[in-house]
Amino acid sequence: MSEDDFFKKASVVKLDTLSDVNDIGKPWRYEEDGMTVTRTSPWSPPGCHPVGCGLKLYVDAEGRLERVEGDENNPVTQGRLCPRCIALKDYIYNPARLLHPMKRDPKDRGNADAWETITWDEAFDIIKAEYDRITAQYGRESIVVFAGTGREGGTFFPFGSMCFGTPNFCYTQSGYACYTPRLAAIAYIGGTTYPEWDYAGALPGRWDDPRYDLTEVLLIWGKAPLESSPDGFFGHAVIDAMRRGTRLIVIDPRVTWLSSRADIFLQLRAGTDTALGMAMLDIIISEDLYDHDFVSYWCYGFDELAERCSTMPPEKAATICDVPVEDIYAAARMYAAGNPAAIQWGLSADQKTNGMQHAQVIVSLMAITGNLDAPGGQLLPNSSAGHNEVGFGFDKGVGDDLLAKMVGLDQYPAYCMVILNAQADLMLKALETGEPYPIKMGFYAGNNLMSCTSMEPERWHDAIVKSLEFCIGFDTFMNPSIEASCDIFLPLKTVAERDGTVFTHYAPCTVTAGFMHEAITVGDCKTDYELCYELGRHLRPELWDKEFNFRSAKEFMEALRLGKREEGRYFDKVAENVVCQIPIEYYKYEKGLMREDGTPGFATPTGRIELWSTAFHGFGEDPLPYYEEPQFGPADPELMEEYPLILTTGARTTAFFHSEHRQVPRLRALNPDPITEINPVTAQKYGIADGQWVRLSSPFGECVQKARVSEIVDEKTVHAQHAWWFPEEEGSEPNLYGNFRSNINNLLPNFHFGKLGFGAPNKCFVCKIEPIEESYDTDMTEVWDKFGKLV
Amino acid sequence: MDYQEFLDSIDKEAYHEGEWRWEEDGYTVTRTYHYSPPGCHTSCGILLYTKDGKVEKIEGDPLDPCTNGKLCIRCLNLVESINSPDRLKYPMRRAGERGENKWERISWDEAYDEIEEKVRSIWETNGGNAIICVHGTGRNINWQVPFFGQAALKTPNISTFGFTGFACYMPRVCGAVAPFGDFPVVDASEGHPARYANPEWNPPEVLVVWGNEPLASNADGFVGHWLVPCVQMGTRIISIDPRLTWWGARADYWLQIRPGTDAALACAWLNVILEEDLYDHEFVDLWCMGLDKLKESVKDMTPEWAAPICDLDADDIRNSARLYASAKPGAIQWGLAFDQQLSAMSLCLAGCDLMAICGNIDVPGGNILLHNAFEINAGYATGEHFTPEEWRIKKLNNNFALSIDGGDFVAHASSDGLLQAIEEGFPYPIKMMWIQSSNTLSCPGMDAARLYEAMQKIPFIVNADPYMTPTSVALADIVLPVAMSAERNSARTWWTPARAMVKVADFYEAKSDEQIIVELGKRLNPEVFNQWDSDIDWLDWYLREGSGSAFATSEAADNAGIKSSGSTLFKHTWKELVEDPAMCGHAYDEFNASYNKAAKGLYRPDGSVGYGTPSGRLELTPMLYTYWGLSDTPFHVEPPEGPISTPELMETYPLILTCGGRSFEFFHSEHRQLPTMRELHPEPLVLVNPKTAEKYGVKDGQWIWIENDHGRFKQKVKLSPRVNEKTIHAEHGWWFPESKAEAPYLFGTFESNPNNCTKAFVTGQGGVGSAIKSMICKIYPVEPGDKMPYEQIAETGNFPWYKKVNSPRQDEIDRFHKAMDAGMEYEVFSNELFDPANNERFDLKTGARLAE
Amino acid sequence: MTKGILINYDYCTGCHSCEVACKKTLGLPEGEFGIKLTEVGPYEYTDKPAPDHWEWTWLPVITKACDLCMGRTTKGKMPSCVQHCQAWCMYYGDVEDLAKKMDGKTRWALLATRE
């Protein structure tokens, strides 16, 4: 396929609610009413998963962003936007946004008033001096790049590999309990990567494309796609499908918008999904509802799977999951009967110790029902898919010797190799103990770990502050992690200020490729690739100027994202399309498109979907799915005496992306306070009134949140929001923007992951809850006063 | 809103036009009206669905021209109310101490026996005037209970007890009777059965909604939602209110006035309209008197003068006055705020003057003058002739209570006069209190803790109510269960049409107000009450002969020259009113359906043209005001505490506290037992402007203390721009039936009660008006460990910082006690002391010895 | 013909009558509604003069419990919410007819539900 075909301008499908007067067919940049309109397809920052929603940026003659509208030309979003993009201007021109490099004496760490504005040159000089000193003394492996989620920086491996040359790029959530476990599962079982629901995103005719079959049954499992567009999936595509007739099954401990409209809603006990999935497999197999052809041609280990699942009859699962057994039967039959049917699998598969097995049953369900790579089923990437830079620059930038020193690689190769990441829990241990070697320098690449990603955040805080001699924060706003631990702050450009690319679903199984266009300039900021390029050349000129030889930062980006080196010209050419639909084919495994060697089948040792996983077996894990009770839960009656409630955390809200956006009053007003959802019966039992503040505690710690008394959760469960801090509050230590007051991660542990190193019990823990007299209600007037007047 | 289209669209068969009762789907359906309990000021057409003697469903009657099937949630939730488990089922006698909430069930006969014995013994020893007869507001008892008090208990001391300065409705009634001889009501077409389709009617061009939220409350017999179709037909709005209301949000002018300064605004409006010559010359020439004096009196009261007083923009005052004056017609919907300020009588006069000089009286879409339907005027004074003269002259009216020299223009006894008698035994002690449908402690009782302490001194208290209330638990010796609206045969003639209520169900042993009154009346005064065999007999008397004064005492009516024929114009029986297919429970009369009645000679007893005033004209400077000892021209009096009268006190209490705004869910202290109401409105809410909240460190949803130099109470903050930064608004009437009954908690009646902060004995001219909507306060968060009001009251009888306001007659009271100790005698009517030792007489007021 | 409820929400007073009338007609427990009020405001528009200076708007929303009072309307009666609407701002009928009332002079919302 020619390059021009690959990055071909997406065809436009007009939304039926859109009026006849619209901007369909407009070029990537045009003039309107004295304003320059730039069509773009954003990723980050502010953080979001890569959907690349269509955006029109209206910029006035003075170069100021006037307003943001949805771009009707985007084939998936079709002009629709969530509030976070609609409020983009309030983020960009927020008075709290930081627009220049700053430094602070390391002895002043934690003092919000001790920052001093500097030039980029001075910043590079300081970093260079510290880099040279630390690497000379401790080696490059003593540098850790803290990666977060949802930002380009959070997946920007060249920071580690090429810029600093460290093997320790580290997503700091215990057990990498986000997305990667699912990626690992499909990689080890199916030799491919993320199988997204086929919502016709890549097809020119979208839902009406002749190649597409409407999904009859969509099973949404532990996911709330409407609020967050998770994993780069445009959540409201579910609504589009529902309007066309797709029926829903929802599995979730919480009532969601979707579950309230589902044919079947299984409100299971948090953390018991694997049991439920095994029971569904058992029903489908024992009732002979599976796809015999697919199983016999393309699956390996079916009999073993059948036998294993027969140990989890639906009646047993019903007791474990606390759902009516007839609903399990109904759900299994409905899913199996769907032709096609698909599963939207969510974060809950990652956030449990038993999560890898949860992912395993889900992949098995997709496989034995014949929905893999079928139109309207689960779309699979082809063998050359992926514009993900995992591994980019590793050989030259890090080298094999140093790669071998990646923290955790020896113990958890299944984890470290699949994503080339240091194992998070062991990184914590290394920071705390200096074992296997000291960690001395840090870099925040779009991560606010103390507020969001890391469990026991005070422990991480103490370890980082104690261990690191030098640390750099690179972000749009100050945050508690940078405030506590950094000596240099570098300002980051937002989506409106930058060029770049966005591939849906983080590149695996991409359906659209989008391009970001710089429309405005604000302050003195850089993008991730610009910083990497410039900082890399300062720190490691021998490598950048001799080995890499990129002629510009843009060419570096072009190489990284598009595999070209044309001084940015290729980027400029294809970027004019703003958004492209990636050509796809169905049933690729029949056509030899899934394997590097071009033979039919899947890229696994057996060439089949390994229901009995040879890879798991190789890693010493059980090759078949099994159910394990959450360690912290009813399996421990003594623990439950003191902590009688199931705690599940982290459901998304429309207002925020993780710990971001708390400074945007328009968004904050949607959700001013950290909310704990509690059932009315439970609330009454503990004397908790709606709107009252409560203390949540576990064996690991406590926090306070505001109760929302609601039947969203059942009587045994509470749900608490995550990633709360309060940018309007005092920033200096010890308050640190109130970072540890309402932080639900205080209650959650590190070091409770599964056998392969993956998973953490964020969504299936225990707690007790008690009302408190105090109120910490956010004063929105103060938020508006501090952040509402744009600069 | 196309009224004719609406009428045409009703399926008259489906709604059984012309039938008062029918069977439908296993239910018996009765077409009738609701009129209390639960309390309300209006009476709407309803269809009651009963099965096995139980009301199971209620809906509005679309064929009823009064409200066209529309109902507020207090009626829609009637079934929950009627069948509430908290209702009183049987008569009960107190079994423990007052406040212990221990009761023994007794029969009605036992209750009547005990009451009769007590009453007769008081008659023997102290006289009937030692009994106080109390009724609440808004219940269908406004003539029944006064009649009972005067004819059966034989006391002149009838009152809505606890209400300093008669500060509810009475100022407007008397304030309008004086200049107009009648009462002005906004014409939303309600006088005529054709309603909005009446060809004579048109909507007001401009509606001034002043100190009133008619939508939430249906106050004063007026259905607030009648005005919404007017707005749909083009009526423009001027809203005068410290709070933003539905009206203010849709108004051409919302004048966010400082509470308690409405008279200054009214005077400024008069000034603009008179000085700019915007008044209706023809109308004033023909029908008004006193223009020159009025004009002279307001000539300096310019918008610029009023603006700083009212905290308004002078241009807004001027322009809004012009808008009202330009309207043909304009209408003023005045509210309780007129009564609840020290300028009350002056403000009511100014309001009337505005209506009159703009020619808006008794014209379609203006302020029409309404009467009770068919002149069925059984009223406050109907039973007065059955009270023995010697006791009647001892009525504790303002004459006696507050040293105001003037005529006895109010039918009530004065609350302050009663309080003085209870507290001080002056001029005589009180031995019994009969309470019918008043939750004194929770709602009307101003200076709440003081009243609670004082009322403990009354040896015998009977409370008749549908529910067990804080007042009953705290004070009653006998409680009597009262039937509710659907369990009651009754009628209503307040405004128009005449309406009937039919009993369709029983609740245990509860009896209707009429039944209780007739039965107990037969025991206490058989001469009068034996003419009626039953409640229905009594109702027939009321409908066909129920004469008396429409408004106040006979004396006041006589002085005003109001048409009072001595008998009614109604020719039917109660049963006919209920069942006659032509009526089906309601009947309109000609008088109320007519406009321009002055020209038609309908106001005056002799049929001559003119109004029912001494002069026959609308008296802009009324003679009756002079007679009553009031200024006959309008003026403004500052609230007793506030930025102008007490700037130094504002340092301690920097906020203005206004209170008592209504909500849809509750009628005063009622409805708190009902889950549906509490679902919609679980807790008392105090409106605080967000900036004020920030300044004083209080947050949305937080419980805060509202405190003044008297006491404090707590409510939950609702942040809202409805009030300005200087003002907060608190709700009244809150108690918590779900909580502990026993004293000192008493269902939490003191916890959230703004009356912890109100003051007895502080009134305006004539002893009328009270500043309870314009107090000052400070606010601060409720903290754990804070002492609750009930605890503070239990410890010392009141709040530690409480400063009791003495009666303005305290000198006289002291003199009285000294004289009594010295063996002297006191004559109430002449207010003189007599020393039998030497036959000397003294004027109690001055202490001076009187010449022989 | 599809039936609907038309609301002239410029005039909705937030009186809750539709909510409670419906609740009682359908016998709904605490927390459940067949029609539920939403409230916007109050807040000010600095650039709009009176009478449009303030925004304080209510609009009821129909829930799944609503069957448009089939049992009533087949007998010729009005849906309970419409019958009891105090502000006289609710209409019931064929959606095509109702739509004709939306005259651009006041604010309307036409609600229809599943049949």
Side-chain angles (χ1 to χ4, degrees), chain B residues 15 24-25 71 80 679, chain C residues 17 24 31 72 75 77 83:
Chain B
Y15 290 102
E24 181 180 322
D25 297 340
L71 286 184
E80 202 170 294
E679 180 185 358
Chain C
S17 280
K24 298 297 164 185
R72 296 174 59 86
K75 284 188 198 153
K77 297 185 185 186
Q83 177 166 330

Side-chain angles (χ1 to χ4, degrees), chain A residues 253-469:
Chain A
R254 292 170 73 240
V255 178
T256 64
W257 189 95
L258 291 168
S259 77
S260 72
R261 283 146 179 89
D263 282 21
I264 300 169
F265 171 40
L266 295 165
Q267 191 170 15
L268 83 178
R269 169 161 67 92
T272 63
D273 309 67
T274 309
L276 180 63
M278 288 172 71
M280 288 175 68
L281 283 165
D282 184 50
I283 294 165
I284 290 169
I285 294 169
S286 60
E287 295 187 1
D288 197 11
L289 306 175
Y290 60 95
D291 182 330
H292 284 258
D293 284 350
F294 189 89
V295 166
S296 56
Y297 288 124
W298 305 111
C299 291
Y300 175 79
F302 178 78
D303 294 342
E304 289 83 350
L305 177 74
E307 190 190 336
R308 174 61 64 84
C309 291
S310 70
T311 64
M312 184 60 73
E315 288 69 20
K316 185 176 172 188
T319 310
I320 292 170
C321 304
D322 201 9
V323 293
V325 68
E326 57 273 19
D327 287 355
I328 302 180
Y329 277 103
R333 290 166 185 161
M334 181 175 162
Y335 171 70
N339 183 24
I343 300 176
Q344 268 261 301
W345 53 338
L347 191 59
S348 75
D350 310 321
Q351 298 197 331
K352 57 170 72 77
T353 303
N354 189 213
M356 190 53 67
Q357 288 68 37
H358 180 192
Q360 199 176 2
V361 294
I362 285 178
V363 174
S364 302
L365 280 165
M366 294 170 179
I368 69 165
T369 53
N371 285 308
L372 283 176
D373 221 18
Q378 313 286 153
L379 196 61
L380 295 177
N382 63 24
S383 60
S384 63
H387 307 267
N388 206 335
E389 74 278 17
V390 176
F392 192 88
F394 245 86
D395 358 334
K396 288 179 182 148
V398 181
D400 288 348
D401 292 351
L402 220 48
L403 176 61
K405 293 178 101 169
M406 180 184 291
V407 169
L409 180 67
D410 48 347
Q411 286 164 271
Y412 299 103
Y415 175 127
C416 297
M417 287 311 292
V418 85
I419 189 80
L420 285 177
N421 241 248
Q423 208 278 345
D425 303 82
L426 295 183
M427 177 55 71
L428 173 61
K429 197 171 156 203
L431 285 161
E432 285 179 330
T433 63
E435 296 297 332
Y437 46 77
I439 306 293
K440 290 294 171 188
M441 175 171 162
F443 178 85
Y444 287 95
N447 179 10
N448 176 10
L449 62 87
M450 292 178 201
S451 308
C452 181
T453 42
S454 298
M455 310 306 108
E456 298 176 278
E458 290 194 75
R459 183 174 173 184
W460 276 89
H461 168 275
D462 294 350
I464 289 170
V465 172
K466 177 174 135 273
S467 182
L468 300 186
E469 291 179 7

Side-chain angles (χ1 to χ4, degrees), chain B residues 151-335:
Chain B
L153 299 173
K154 299 187 184 178
T155 176
N157 289 323
I158 321 289
S159 174
T160 51
F161 179 62
F163 227 57
T164 286
F166 307 94
C168 179
Y169 200 45
M170 178 271 175
R172 277 173 292 156
V173 171
C174 294
V177 165
F180 293 168
D182 271 291
F183 194 82
V185 179
V186 172
D187 179 25
S189 81
E190 68 272 21
H192 194 284
R195 298 298 315 272
Y196 303 103
N198 174 11
E200 270 194 277
W201 180 79
N202 51 258
E205 264 186 30
V206 172
L207 174 71
V208 184
V209 184
W210 196 335
N212 188 232
E213 175 38 299
L215 299 177
S217 67
N218 297 330
D220 316 324
F222 186 87
V223 178
H225 276 85
W226 283 336
L227 295 169
V228 177
C230 297
V231 178
Q232 295 195 30
M233 293 175 201
T235 297
R236 293 163 73 187
I237 301 163
I238 297 171
S239 167
I240 303 171
D241 203 308
R243 285 192 312 164
L244 181 72
T245 63
W246 187 90
W247 308 94
R250 285 151 182 80
D252 279 31
Y253 291 94
W254 170 37
L255 303 178
Q256 190 174 27
I257 193 166
R258 175 164 69 94
T261 67
D262 303 73
L265 175 65
C267 290
W269 269 26
L270 285 165
N271 171 283
V272 172
I273 293 168
L274 292 169
E275 293 299 317
E276 297 188 5
D277 200 13
L278 306 174
Y279 64 95
D280 185 332
H281 283 260
E282 189 188 341
F283 187 84
V284 170
D285 289 349
L286 275 174
W287 300 111
C288 298
M289 60 146 276
L291 183 80
D292 293 341
K293 190 176 183 189
L294 174 66
K295 189 173 175 185
E296 175 64 21
S297 73
V298 298
K299 75 172 187 320
D300 296 327
M301 300 178 184
T302 60
E304 289 69 26
W305 162 81
I309 296 172
C310 303
D311 203 8
L312 293 170
D313 181 80
D315 287 341
D316 285 348
I317 298 176
R318 189 176 299 282
N319 292 333
S320 57
R322 288 170 179 161
L323 178 60
Y324 172 68
S326 73
K328 288 287 165 216
I332 296 177
Q333 172 70 23
W334 57 2

Side-chain angles (χ1 to χ4, degrees), chain A residues 9 39 94 98 125 216 250-251 300 310 349 367 480 619 645 651 658 709 720 730:
Chain A
K9 186 188 285 186
R39 292 175 45 224
N94 195 294
L98 298 172
D125 289 347
E216 284 184 358
V250 171
I251 300 172
Y300 175 79
S310 70
F619 290 126
L645 294 169
H658 294 294
V709 176
E730 171 61 42

